[in-house]
Amino acid sequence: MPQINHFAWFFPTVFLFCIAAYFFGGVLFSPIFGKLLSKNIRNEGSKNAGATNLIRTTNNKVIGIAASCCDMLKSFFPIFFLWLVIKLVFTGEYWHTTNLAFGALIFLPGVFAVIGHWIPFLYVFHFFKNGCRKENLQSYCGGKGVSTFAGIIISFSPWIMLIGVTLFFSIALLTHYVSLSSLITSLTMALLVWVKPLDLIYLKVWDDSSLIFQHEWYFIGLVFLFLLSCVVIIWYAHRKNIVRLFKGTESKAFVKKQKQA
């Protein structure tokens, strides 16, 4: 396959992948899986289109985990396939140190997948169709983006993801608040990209055994900004949960129901 020695097509390629990732992110698997079990999760529980509400309304952890994994793939696949295009089309000469920061753009489609999950294209379409009014749009609302954000983390460092999963379930089991666990874990995973032993990115653009990038502050800094933007989205999407946490009225999870005598 002929290779391109310049980056004239690099930015348009990234842009197209970002657009595709946004639409892919708008495919909400939790409501789809809920309908398979004859449940409309938008009208039950927290009425959120995320995996947590799917588990809460269906009482089926397996299908909830499956939906969460599908949400992760919504950000992982665009990043992976963009990396694959760069590997097959663009030469390794592009990745000189002077252009190192541009290489972080391969993670940008993951951010757009999170945005698409949070504000799906169907919501945007019906919002404008409804005269820019939010009434009667519950059926098109998206999720809060935690699992889709995790897909970006997986593509960056499986070690950070492993720490994140451990931290998430530890907080959730100790406090019984999934929302609190999501807030703390998302921010922690974003901060961990600065820890050098953990930023071993396993996607490779060169044919040799070297890693995709070395630990350079401008590359890590740009990736961190992408992740931080996702964290801001996640925290904003959880704003009502934060208020309920302070009031002590937030719903708890992993609590055994007492049997009635």
Side-chain angles (χ1 to χ4, degrees), residues 32-90:
I32 295 174
F33 287 0
K35 289 182 179 180
L36 295 177
L37 299 178
S38 301
K39 289 282 187 178
N40 187 352
I41 66 173
R42 297 182 187 274
N43 295 329
E44 300 182 42
S46 64
K47 300 182 180 180
N48 182 261
T52 301
N53 193 40
L54 176 64
I55 295 175
R56 181 181 293 113
T57 56
T58 63
N59 198 27
N60 190 322
K61 294 181 176 63
V62 174
I63 199 168
I65 294 173
S68 181
C69 290
C70 289
D71 287 340
M72 292 181 192
L73 294 177
K74 292 194 297 187
S75 57
F76 178 83
F77 276 157
I79 294 172
F80 174 77
F81 285 114
L82 177 57
W83 159 78
L84 191 62
V85 168
I86 292 173
K87 182 178 176 67
L88 296 177
V89 177
F90 296 89

Side-chain angles (χ1 to χ4, degrees), residues 7-250:
F7 55 86
W9 290 100
F10 176 74
F11 294 105
T13 302
V14 173
F15 175 78
L16 290 176
F17 270 84
C18 288
I19 298 300
Y22 171 76
F23 284 100
F24 188 31
V27 179
L28 304 177
F29 289 100
S30 292
I32 295 174
F33 287 0
K35 289 182 179 180
L36 295 177
L37 299 178
S38 301
K39 289 282 187 178
N40 187 352
I41 66 173
R42 297 182 187 274
N43 295 329
E44 300 182 42
S46 64
K47 300 182 180 180
N48 182 261
T52 301
N53 193 40
L54 176 64
I55 295 175
R56 181 181 293 113
T57 56
T58 63
N59 198 27
N60 190 322
K61 294 181 176 63
V62 174
I63 199 168
I65 294 173
S68 181
C69 290
C70 289
D71 287 340
M72 292 181 192
L73 294 177
K74 292 194 297 187
S75 57
F76 178 83
F77 276 157
I79 294 172
F80 174 77
F81 285 114
L82 177 57
W83 159 78
L84 191 62
V85 168
I86 292 173
K87 182 178 176 67
L88 296 177
V89 177
F90 296 89
T91 64
E93 296 176 357
Y94 173 74
W95 307 109
H96 288 302
T97 303
T98 53
N99 295 321
L100 195 56
F102 292 140
L105 292 176
I106 68 170
F107 297 100
L108 187 57
V111 179
F112 276 78
V114 173
I115 296 173
H117 179 83
W118 176 44
I119 308 179
F121 57 91
L122 285 177
Y123 179 90
V124 176
F125 173 78
H126 286 90
F127 175 75
F128 286 105
K129 184 180 178 181
N130 199 30
C132 298
R133 296 191 303 271
K134 295 182 180 181
E135 291 83 1
N136 303 320
L137 294 180
Q138 180 62 35
S139 299
Y140 308 104
C141 291
K144 297 178 181 178
V146 178
S147 296
T148 310
F149 170 74
I152 307 176
I153 298 297
I154 293 175
S155 66
F156 183 83
S157 171
W159 307 114
I160 295 178
M161 183 61 189
L162 181 61
I163 294 173
V165 171
T166 304
L167 180 63
F168 177 87
F169 283 105
S170 297
I171 297 174
L173 290 173
L174 287 173
T175 67
H176 302 291
Y177 292 125
V178 174
S179 56
L180 179 63
S181 182
S182 300
L183 294 169
I184 295 177
T185 303
S186 60
L187 180 59
T188 301
M189 288 194 296
L191 292 172
L192 284 176
V193 301
W194 290 104
V195 181
K196 189 173 182 178
L198 297 176
D199 69 353
L200 300 179
I201 307 168
Y202 59 96
L203 298 180
K204 303 173 184 176
V205 291
W206 296 301
D207 292 329
D208 57 23
S209 59
S210 60
L211 295 173
I212 181 173
F213 295 114
Q214 298 176 352
H215 185 92
E216 299 289 350
W217 69 267
Y218 37 86
F219 168 69
I220 300 298
L222 190 54
V223 174
F224 174 71
L225 288 177
F226 292 158
L227 297 179
L228 187 60
S229 65
C230 294
V231 172
V232 171
I233 291 174
I234 291 172
W235 279 60
Y236 181 79
H238 282 84
R239 61 193 183 279
K240 293 182 180 179
N241 301 86
I242 295 173
V243 172
R244 289 195 294 267
L245 283 169
F246 278 105
K247 290 183 177 180
T249 57
E250 177 71 341

